Amino acid sequence: MKFDPIFSFCNGHFLNKEGQPVTCAGKVFDREDIPHLLSLDEAQAEKLFSALKTDNVSFIQWPVTWEAIEPEPETYDEMYLANLRTVLKKAEDFDIYVFIQSVCINWSKALGGLGAPLWTLDAAKITPQDTAESQEKAKNTMFAYFWSGNQIAPDFLIEGDTLQDYLQNRYIEAMKHTARRIKDCVSVLGFNFISQYETGSHPLLTTNTTNFAEECFNPFITKFQEAFQKKHGHYLYLADLIPLHAHKNLATTVQLLWEDEDANDTKKVALLSLSQLGLSSDPDAIKNLPLLQELQQKGVPIFLEIPKDFTLNPAETEKLSGLSYFSMASRVSTLLT
């Protein structure tokens, strides 16, 4: 089932179906609320979206995890996916548009986070001890394998694939399967390629924040987008660059990721944080940021993420007209009361 795009990007602007520029003032949920949202039922979803709509929210990032989708290799949790579809159809009732946000915090729940399933550690032959040091090392190693396994473990093969290709292919297949199960949800605008990831570390790893975008991130998001293009050509994609906060030349990174994109028909948007850009919540400073203006002139569409410790009053929010952004939603427990 294919839909005509509800929104698109052109020359750095977010456009509606009529081709008019619009501002996406959206919400993202606190990481502590993600486990609750993964198990939300239909009645709770209706209450949540009603509260969001009352607050004039029309765009959100809705969290999913690889583990919830594929708890065992090539075995999908169809009950979870059916419930996800029900929740997203409820968002449709309130005219709330959704980017699916695949979160990967500390790699896995087994390492004190949320994201990848336990079997990925088994596949990589990693058995962390129940200590902070061991779990930190396991997390860094798994992210390094995911992004750079072909460099650090080229002879580690699973079913004929290198460990990096195996992990990335299974992840992308899980997201594609999710897309198949929610294909009739017109509220879904697209996917965040991967959210709240880390670049990883390993003694053999030579990739750093200077070349991570070119050698690791760009090939991955290209493969992800190509996998989705045939059946889900209307989707838009958020490229979460917030984890690259240590990058010395963010403008170069963003331009690299969009150098092959047609500014009149791009499908992906850079997600950047105000804190990453070294800014306060002063709207004038945000709009006048040279980097932001430079990237917009080059046709790179940008969503800003406003950290939860930044607050904007209505007058300040009005000043952001023309910029698309996600700010932190109220806690789910508050929205459901």
Side-chain angles (χ1 to χ4, degrees), residues 73-217:
E74 300 184 53
T75 301
Y76 301 113
D77 188 335
E78 299 296 351
M79 289 184 63
Y80 165 74
L81 292 169
N83 186 67
L84 174 64
R85 177 186 174 276
T86 298
V87 168
L88 295 174
K89 296 298 282 186
K90 191 57 62 177
E92 200 173 298
D93 293 342
F94 289 90
D95 293 324
I96 292 177
Y97 297 103
V98 179
F99 281 99
I100 300 298
Q101 179 195 29
S102 175
V103 296
C104 198
I105 303 168
N106 289 342
W107 183 258
S108 171
K109 183 165 63 177
L111 302 178
L114 278 169
L118 175 61
W119 58 260
T120 59
L121 281 84
D122 295 336
K125 302 188 184 308
I126 291 179
T127 307
Q129 303 300 311
D130 191 20
T131 65
E133 181 179 4
S134 177
Q135 292 189 354
E136 179 74 10
K137 181 180 178 180
K139 173 201 73 172
N140 288 332
T141 301
M142 287 305 302
F143 275 117
Y145 281 153
F146 184 84
W147 295 116
S148 307
N150 291 347
Q151 177 200 131
I152 60 180
D155 298 325
F156 194 146
L157 302 181
I158 301 177
E159 298 176 6
D161 287 332
T162 63
L163 180 56
Q164 173 183 325
D165 289 341
Y166 176 78
L167 292 172
Q168 290 191 3
N169 291 343
R170 289 262 33 97
Y171 172 82
I172 291 172
E173 283 300 316
M175 296 306 128
K176 278 179 61 181
H177 188 76
T178 301
R180 283 193 290 270
R181 292 294 180 258
I182 61 175
K183 64 184 179 182
D184 65 336
C185 296
V186 297
S187 61
V188 176
L189 297 179
F191 277 66
N192 186 322
F193 291 111
I194 184 169
S195 176
Q196 302 185 51
Y197 60 91
E198 297 178 36
T199 56
S201 62
H202 188 278
L204 300 178
L205 186 63
T206 59
T207 302
N208 53 42
T209 54
T210 300
N211 54 15
F212 176 83
E214 180 177 6
E215 295 184 6
C216 305
F217 193 68

Side-chain angles (χ1 to χ4, degrees), residues 260-278:
D260 295 327
E261 293 282 310
D262 181 351
N264 295 311
D265 189 33
T266 185
K267 294 289 186 181
K268 63 183 186 237
V269 55
L271 182 61
L272 302 171
S273 170
L274 292 189
S275 57
Q276 179 185 30
L277 298 172

Side-chain angles (χ1 to χ4, degrees), residues 224-288:
F224 188 112
Q225 199 167 342
E226 288 176 348
F228 271 65
Q229 185 58 37
K230 183 176 180 180
K231 294 290 183 70
H232 309 284
H234 62 291
Y235 275 168
L236 304 173
Y237 302 92
L238 293 178
D240 185 355
L241 303 184
I242 296 172
L244 302 183
H245 59 85
H247 202 288
K248 294 293 189 294
N249 193 339
L250 193 58
T252 301
T253 297
V254 177
Q255 289 172 31
L256 166 72
L257 297 178
W258 271 262
E259 66 181 358
D260 295 327
E261 293 282 310
D262 181 351
N264 295 311
D265 189 33
T266 185
K267 294 289 186 181
K268 63 183 186 237
V269 55
L271 182 61
L272 302 171
S273 170
L274 292 189
S275 57
Q276 179 185 30
L277 298 172
L279 288 174
S280 67
S281 56
D282 175 13
D284 290 322
I286 296 169
K287 294 200 74 167
N288 294 326

Side-chain angles (χ1 to χ4, degrees), residues 8 59-60 63 70 102 144 167 220 233 235 281 318:
S8 61
F59 298 85
I60 59 172
E70 190 182 15
S102 175
L167 292 172
F220 167 73
Y235 275 168
S281 56
E318 182 65 27

Side-chain angles (χ1 to χ4, degrees), residues 277-310:
L277 298 172
L279 288 174
S280 67
S281 56
D282 175 13
D284 290 322
I286 296 169
K287 294 200 74 167
N288 294 326
L289 181 69
L291 170 61
L292 203 57
Q293 294 176 342
E294 177 186 353
L295 295 177
Q296 287 176 321
Q297 288 171 1
K298 292 181 179 296
V300 175
I302 294 171
F303 276 42
L304 296 174
E305 184 167 290
I306 301 176
K308 62 182 177 181
D309 55 337
F310 287 7

